[in-house]
Amino acid sequence: MNSICVFCGAQPGARGEYLAAAGQLGRLMAARGIGLVYGGGGEGMMGAVADAVRTADGRAIGVIPQRLIAKEQANPAADLRVVNNMHERKALMGELSDAFIVLPGGLGTLEELFEVWTWRQLGFHRKPCGLLNVAGFYDTLLQHIAGANQSGFIRREHRDLLLVAGEPGELLEKVLTAR
């Protein structure tokens, strides 16, 4: 595996565990020679994972729309790819990545999670999709997904395409060994 796309928040979140997990994931990826593809921001969760990768002498490619360079404080330490819009951003991130990992984040992160997971369900790619449930951040979302499965809206085999773990190392292993 050459690179993993990490979707996460441009904000740091309210708990220190979120940033700590982002940093740990970045260090683990760099130690294994796995490059980071991410949203290009220099602050919050995005900045934490990218800084950890770069500090450990890893590779970080940031993909950011021109319009968000100032808002997300584009990270000058990353190899930035500037695109025109969010659709181009996600397409290029997917193209450059062998897998996806989702960390805590807001609306954009949720949208990215559901898009790449849906693409996998529909067979548009066969890349592993992982969700890092740091400190139970995604517990209620996972309960909703289980309810949608029980109600007949998400098939078990599609639900199981989303790999979930609470610790960065555990999730990275699941992603690296997924079929």
Side-chain angles (χ1 to χ4, degrees), residues 21-121:
Q24 184 181 0
L25 178 64
R27 288 186 296 278
L28 289 169
M29 288 172 56
R32 289 178 172 250
I34 300 168
L36 168 69
V37 176
Y38 82 113
E43 301 292 319
M45 296 290 288
M46 280 196 267
V49 70
D51 290 347
V53 166
R54 299 290 295 153
T55 299
D57 295 324
R59 304 175 323 275
I61 297 174
V63 182
I64 191 164
Q66 178 69 44
R67 185 174 177 176
L68 294 182
I69 288 176
K71 182 176 183 173
E72 292 187 354
Q73 298 186 15
N75 191 337
D79 174 8
L80 284 180
R81 312 287 170 90
V82 180
V83 295
N84 293 315
N85 56 54
M86 295 298 282
H87 296 292
E88 288 180 17
R89 180 191 217 180
K90 290 182 293 184
L92 183 56
M93 291 170 84
E95 201 176 295
L96 295 171
S97 303
D98 300 312
F100 303 95
I101 290 180
V102 179
L103 301 179
L107 294 174
T109 304
L110 290 170
E111 186 269 337
E112 291 159 339
L113 161 65
F114 285 111
E115 184 164 17
V116 297
W117 186 19
T118 301
W119 289 350
R120 175 78 197 261
Q121 171 198 335

